[in-house]
Amino acid sequence: MASTNQNQAGEPATDGRADYDYQGDEVERPDMVDDLEGIVDGDVRFDEYSRELYATDASAYEVLPIGVVFPTSTEDVSAVVSYCAEREIPVLPRGGGTSLAGQAVNEAVVLDFSRFMNGIVDVDPEGRRARARAGITLGELNRTLEPHGLKFAPDPSTADRSALGGAIGNNTTGAHSLKYGKTDAYVEEVEAVLSDGSVHTFGEIEIEELRERADPDGDLVERIHAEVVRIIDEEGDAVEEAYPSIKRNVSGYNLDVLIEEARGKGATEEGTVNLARLLVGSEGTLAIVTEAEVSLEPIPETKALGLLTYHSLLDAMEDVGAILEHDPAAVEVLDGVLLELARDLEEFKDVVGILPDETDTFLLVEFYADGDEERRESVETLLADRVGDVAFDGLSAFDPDEQKAFWKMRKASTPILLSRTTDEKHIAFIEDIAIPPEHLPEYTADFQQVFEDHDTFGSFYAHAGPGCMHVRPLVNTKTTEGVETMVSISDAATDLAVKYGGSVSGEHGDGRARTQWNKKLYGERLWEVFRDLKTAFDPDWLLNPGSVCGDFDMSENLRHDPDYEFEAGFEPRLNWENENGFQGMAELCHGCGGCRTSQEGAGGVMCPTYRASREEITSTRGRANMLRQAMSGDLPEEQFASEFMQEVMELCIGCKGCARDCPSEVDMAKLKVELTHEHHERHGVDLRSRVFANIDALSDLGSATAPVSNWLQRLPGSGILTEKTLGIARERSLPEFHAETLTEWFEERGPRVSEEDADRKALLFPDAFTDHNSPDAGKAAIRVLEAAGVHVKIPDGVTGSGRPAYSKGMIEKARTQADRNVTALAHYVNDGWDVVVVEPSDAVMFQLDYLDLLSGDAVERLAQNTYGVMEYVDRFRLDEGMAFADVGESLTYHGHCHQKAIKKEHHAVGVLRRAGYEVDPLDSGCCGMAGSFGYEAEHYSMSQAIGSVLFDQIDSSDGERVVAPGSSCRSQIGDEYDEKPPHPVRKLADALA
């Protein structure tokens, strides 16, 4: 089965993804670049910006790499490693960059597998095997396997952006390790590039054959075999004695699995060992895995959740042992610290609201079952047994959407904790100590005492069932005292791991955070065994040097250390209500990579430009890193206002997807507005930006001169002229103007429901597009509102919403427009009027963005009383008094990304369904037009690539007709299908009897 992203030969895909023309600045080490470009088919980037992009992962660490190579094949990887081996240059393999211990950053040549080497090679459903390249994400792997009823079992919370190679490097597991264990149980064979550039396949081998191949004086592979034989013969007892007897241990090398396999047949009969599993958990320090064959598990028939609530964390820990007797697939904990933060996040406050008010901690217990009766019985038995003993209440979740909501909050726990914009952060450095679950109560109490001794606190969450709770202390590494506290807590935590027979890493690996503690965990003898094994595989220590058994010091190379300084370089113009203001938001991204979900099947809103290009710099994480590094001195002075930074920010399309899908709520769209405004202040505003920012005035002119204005747009050569003069893509069809605007039509027609007879009073705001280009949608909105008994009026004295100017970074113009509208509408709102807007982006401008431009009671009341038209109908159930005809039509609904950002896209779906339509709501992101973005010639290909994801979803839908509330969306879809879809309010009006 071929990958959708890569052909069988491993060449880069040509599947319509945007060919982002990356142009870095000054290239470091030009001779090395020329050499590598001559021997690989992939991209080679050693410029300063690329290096900064790969200086961080999802950990607290930052190390500038030598350069970055994007290989297309194992041959590319071999060529790079051979070249570097000859020159003693370190090499670091990397997938999604989601590592929490810092093992994906190093002073090395980084090999990014995620861009090209991300395909499926083969699937064998009968044998329950799959072969895939290292850069494929676990989410994409499982979406490919799902039609066969199979899955790759380890399920980390970052599956949609974690690569298979990274899972092997970390020995990844997940929430269901009680049932499935770790990655090492599923790796059957790997293709790997060794430290000298040679390629070797590791898999199951008879120990007798291993002995025959072993030669301590032979070639590299023979020396590797010799060291493995020595460990089996001489170190087996030491390994069995030192390694903890727990399910969750990924510290050090996988010697316990090696010895267990070697001794599996008994002392008198030698069996086999799987050397592929020795590479699992080695963090790229032994060899670089390029391809792997993995075994698979059947997807459970059905699932159910039981939720047990407790008054304290210790109460919950006391209950874990009894819960495990019910044979659950997962037992996860979320404590009060995390729940309190989640309550303040738009994404999760509704989920937290389901829990009883007095909940301090809850356990999420999942069961797998073969049918509905079995799953219900499992949960009901659990609740009957545990509620009233230690747990004070219990809930059940059988609905898949409800289960998904709780799991989403659990999987977002790490970024939720890192949603603080203060200097103190819940950073990762001891977050995955694992101990036998029977010791959880006393271990947790001891850990709380460690926090008290260090005058801080932390959150306890995640995998209570197997005894691998994630513990996140709150520390400030920007101070010397904070760094000292971090090291001291880590030392004490390691002592607790040893005390209770546990491991310093049960999931996230050693890396920079924990390598130094492996000696204390395993003892001096095994520490030297680790180093001997490393030397056998990598004699010059060039593969990710320092990790597992190297010289990493957890207090060095911190992203935010005592020498860190942040200087914005300008005075922010918007309101920043979060702690630390603009700086806090600029530093908020911690690198989890949630914006790197590139697969169509992943759904969600974030991040459309990354999905289209698979370039790190087009992700929210990439932009956030560039911005922070520009303002902290990692990049040359004043880079935040450079043309390159402007290019980086221009490719943020302002969809606000990160404000919704990023669990930490990094608001890149708002940051972009600030940066663009400052760029204008320093370099001036270009003509095209001025044109788009003043689209309201141009629309007035277009309607006043229609139909002549429309004829001019259709003249031969007009598209070429527009592209050459304004940079508007010639391929685009421009909106047509109506000679009679909505406002003029309504002035002549007047309201049909008097104010005295009305149930509600609504001001229909005449946004520019509805007024001049799509008055039919406005007329439909008026008919619908009046059918519900609403007195409708189009207000005088208003101007454009300010959205076009705001999106172009022209803050003062947008502020002036906002102030004028607030002044014009405030007395109406005070008098009980609602404000209704047809165009979603203009509605969200009132509801959200005005609060960034203005302060005071008037703007807050206006924001609270403004509604999108379908939201208005749904919120007040205005349709309940309407009579509808038998429409008998099915619709495909694409919601606007701004509505999705503030969770208001669902209203139209509910209303249309109650009107009699069958509606298929797409789990879609931005359409790619994004206001003016898709009209701009240099962004046309990116716009189309983003749109292709939506087009595929539309083609897969069973709806007879597409509906979309956004004017940009309707233009993008119309250009693709030669017919513009209607606004959903038009279909609602059509359904009126």
Side-chain angles (χ1 to χ4, degrees), residues 608-910:
T609 48
Y610 177 79
R611 293 186 185 204
S613 68
R614 301 194 92 154
E615 287 274 5
E616 176 74 15
I617 203 167
T618 65
S619 69
T620 303
R621 180 174 76 177
R623 294 187 189 98
N625 273 329
M626 284 285 95
L627 175 58
R628 177 183 55 79
Q629 289 160 339
M631 294 184 171
S632 62
D634 290 338
L635 290 172
E637 190 176 356
E638 301 289 286
Q639 277 298 297
F640 65 85
S642 68
E643 290 301 320
F644 178 77
M645 185 62 72
Q646 182 65 11
E647 178 187 355
V648 171
M649 288 298 165
E650 276 185 359
L651 285 172
C652 166
I653 58 178
C655 69
K656 298 181 182 289
C658 48
R660 168 170 173 163
D661 278 2
C662 172
S664 298
E665 296 188 349
V666 174
D667 195 341
M668 185 52 61
K670 186 176 176 181
L671 288 167
K672 175 192 175 181
V673 171
E674 285 280 19
L675 267 290
T676 305
H677 179 271
E678 183 60 23
H679 187 271
H680 292 332
E681 291 290 292
R682 293 172 182 242
H683 303 288
V685 185
D686 62 275
L687 176 60
R688 186 178 63 189
S689 294
R690 291 187 185 278
V691 168
F692 282 127
N694 288 280
I695 199 69
D696 306 316
L698 291 174
S699 295
D700 287 338
L701 179 62
S703 287
T705 58
V708 176
S709 55
N710 299 323
W711 298 341
L712 292 175
Q713 293 183 37
R714 293 194 291 267
L715 288 175
S718 60
I720 297 174
L721 179 63
T722 306
E723 183 173 305
K724 289 185 175 181
T725 56
L726 292 175
I728 295 175
R730 68 185 71 184
E731 297 89 346
R732 287 296 182 196
S733 58
L734 298 176
E736 294 201 344
F737 299 99
H738 285 248
E740 182 184 51
T741 66
L742 175 66
T743 301
E744 291 168 345
W745 171 82
F746 189 77
E747 285 177 353
E748 182 175 340
R749 171 189 181 271
R752 297 296 170 86
V753 177
S754 68
E755 186 172 352
E756 293 76 16
D757 296 333
D759 298 320
R760 302 189 71 88
K761 300 179 293 184
L763 299 170
L764 188 74
F765 180 81
D767 66 85
F769 195 89
T770 302
D771 201 27
H772 299 91
N773 307 110
S774 185
D776 289 347
K779 295 174 185 178
I782 292 171
R783 289 200 301 273
V784 166
L785 295 178
E786 290 181 340
V790 178
H791 173 62
V792 180
K793 177 179 179 178
I794 294 181
D796 297 324
V798 294
T799 182
S801 72
R803 168 64 67 196
Y806 187 78
S807 68
K808 287 299 177 185
M810 299 173 68
I811 292 176
E812 297 311 321
K813 178 176 176 60
R815 199 190 317 272
T816 298
Q817 291 180 283
D819 186 60
R820 179 174 171 180
N821 287 333
V822 171
T823 301
L825 300 174
H827 69 279
Y828 284 105
V829 173
N830 290 339
D831 196 33
W833 289 74
D834 305 310
V835 178
V836 178
V837 188
V838 175
E839 178 61 34
S841 61
D842 290 280
V844 175
M845 190 73 188
F846 279 87
Q847 294 168 324
L848 181 67
D849 299 299
Y850 274 15
L851 300 174
D852 293 331
L853 293 166
L854 303 171
S855 301
D857 292 340
V859 68
E860 290 177 6
R861 283 196 299 271
L862 178 59
Q864 293 165 3
N865 289 279
T866 297
Y867 309 89
V869 61
M870 299 300 280
E871 174 195 3
Y872 189 60
V873 173
D874 189 42
R875 178 70 61 86
F876 300 106
R877 287 297 193 268
L878 301 180
D879 55 315
E880 290 180 354
M882 299 179 188
F884 294 107
D886 184 11
V887 291
E889 186 178 6
S890 61
L891 303 174
T892 297
Y893 174 73
H894 166 64
H896 193 279
C897 48
H898 284 184
Q899 288 180 315
K900 292 181 178 182
I902 59 174
K903 294 189 173 181
K904 295 182 182 292
E905 80 278 10
H906 64 282
H907 294 292
V909 177

Side-chain angles (χ1 to χ4, degrees), residues 285-323:
T285 63
L286 300 182
I288 297 176
V289 173
T290 57
E291 195 172 287
E293 181 175 317
V294 295
S295 53
L296 310 172
E297 291 287 335
I299 296 173
E301 182 71 24
T302 187
K303 307 173 185 177
L305 285 183
L307 298 156
L308 295 167
T309 61
Y310 302 86
H311 290 119
S312 73
L313 174 65
L314 291 179
D315 285 349
M317 295 302 95
E318 292 283 355
D319 217 18
V320 171
I323 293 170

Side-chain angles (χ1 to χ4, degrees), residues 136-143 152 154-156 158-165 167 172:
I136 192 170
T137 66
L138 302 185
E140 180 64 16
L141 174 62
N142 280 331
R143 275 185 284 277
F152 179 67
D155 58 342
T158 56
D160 268 326
R161 62 263 196 195
S162 295
L164 176 62
T172 290

